[in-house]
């Protein structure tokens, strides 16, 4: 995980964090969360995938360093039993505490917190380039080939193994319907042009299967 820690430290340093043992420890604490045994999709693989998209399209963001930090923190707290947007709110609070402890300026901390909270509903406003990049990166898995998408859906089901099948199907269907109701799943033009059709096809296929 050395490469991931290096990526964390670089993003934190670019955002104004004090580099050194404390920054490394913060990154390691985040990775410990991402490696929790109850995770099957929300793992370091997902974190890496999100970071890779952010890096590839960093030129479209205003503060890509803050988007990277938000990517690190956006699922840092992940309890499938938590209600509503509790995971996103707790992840945002954790991000704020970690970054403030590393000396990141209050304005940057607030922005990372805002970005993390956006991942609860993936709804952004016009002109929010940083929010668009984070949300697009977080939803990149939806645009994968059907077999890859099916592995993602199966991994999510394993994370909710405690939920009876009828309840899971109903809840999952609501999530899919919400995504399909968004005006656009992807906001950044290069991603919307290539990812939108496949993502909507995958979501519709799963929703049909569930209902």
């Amino acid at each position: 995980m050395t490469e991931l820690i290096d990526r964390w430290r670089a993003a934190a340093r670019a955002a104004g964090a004090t580099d050194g043992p404390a920054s490394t420890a913060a990154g390691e604490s985040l990775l410990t969360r991402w490696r929790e045994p109850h995770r099957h999709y929300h793992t370091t693989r997902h974190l890496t995938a999100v970071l890779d998209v952010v890096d590839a399209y960093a030129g479209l963001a205003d503060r890509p360093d803050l988007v990277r930090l938000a990517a690190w923190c956006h699922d840092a707290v992940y309890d499938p039993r938590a209600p509503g947007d509790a995971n996103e709110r707790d992840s945002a609070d954790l991000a704020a505490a970690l970054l403030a402890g590393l000396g990141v300026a209050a304005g940057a901390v607030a922005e990372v917190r805002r970005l993390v909270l956006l991942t609860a509903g993936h709804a952004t406003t016009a002109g929010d380039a940083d929010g668009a990049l984070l949300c697009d990166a977080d939803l990149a898995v939806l645009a994968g080939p059907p077999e890859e998408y099916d592995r993602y859906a199966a991994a999510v089901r394993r994370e909710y193994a405690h939920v009876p099948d009828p309840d899971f199907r109903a809840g999952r269907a609501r999530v899919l319907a919400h995504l399909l109701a968004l005006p656009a799943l992807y906001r950044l033009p290069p991603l919307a042009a290539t990812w939108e059709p496949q993502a909507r096809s995958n979501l519709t296929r799963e929703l049909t299967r569930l209902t």
Side-chain angles (χ1 to χ4, degrees):
M1 294 297 172
T2 302
E3 181 185 353
L4 273 174
I5 291 296
D6 289 344
R7 293 174 79 171
W8 158 262
R9 290 179 59 186
R13 187 168 56 248
T18 302
D19 200 11
S23 181
T24 299
E28 290 174 344
S29 73
L30 288 170
L31 284 182
T32 296
R33 292 176 175 274
W34 282 95
R35 293 196 298 257
E36 291 167 334
H38 65 272
R39 296 171 181 249
H40 298 280
Y41 169 68
H42 295 87
T43 65
T44 54
R45 178 174 293 184
H46 172 57
L47 169 61
T48 301
V50 173
L51 289 172
D52 287 348
V53 174
V54 173
D55 284 351
Y57 295 94
L60 301 178
D62 295 321
R63 289 291 305 272
D65 52 321
L66 301 187
V67 181
R68 292 184 181 99
L69 293 178
W72 269 91
C73 296
H74 81 285
D75 283 323
V77 177
Y78 184 71
D79 177 4
R81 299 175 185 269
D85 63 351
N87 284 325
E88 289 83 4
R89 288 187 283 105
D90 289 347
S91 293
D93 290 344
L94 175 65
L98 280 178
L99 296 175
L102 294 175
V104 176
V109 171
E111 175 63 3
V112 172
R113 189 178 189 282
R114 182 189 74 84
L115 291 170
V116 172
L117 290 173
L118 283 179
T119 63
H122 299 96
T124 63
T125 57
D128 183 5
D130 292 345
L133 179 54
L134 179 63
C135 289
D136 284 5
D138 193 30
L139 297 181
V141 67
L142 305 183
E147 61 274 14
E148 181 180 316
Y149 179 92
D150 290 346
R151 286 194 294 270
Y152 145 74
V156 171
R157 181 65 183 104
R158 289 197 297 276
E159 291 181 340
Y160 286 85
H162 61 283
V163 179
D165 197 54
D167 294 339
F168 176 81
R169 293 168 74 90
R172 179 68 177 169
R174 286 193 295 270
V175 171
L176 300 179
H178 165 76
L179 290 170
L180 285 167
L182 291 173
L185 290 166
Y186 304 105
R187 294 87 176 161
L188 298 177
L191 301 182
T194 56
W195 291 359
E196 188 86 15
Q198 183 61 54
R200 289 194 175 274
S201 175
N202 284 331
L203 290 169
T204 301
R205 182 167 52 83
E206 184 187 2
L207 182 58
T208 300
R209 187 168 65 240
L210 288 173
T211 56

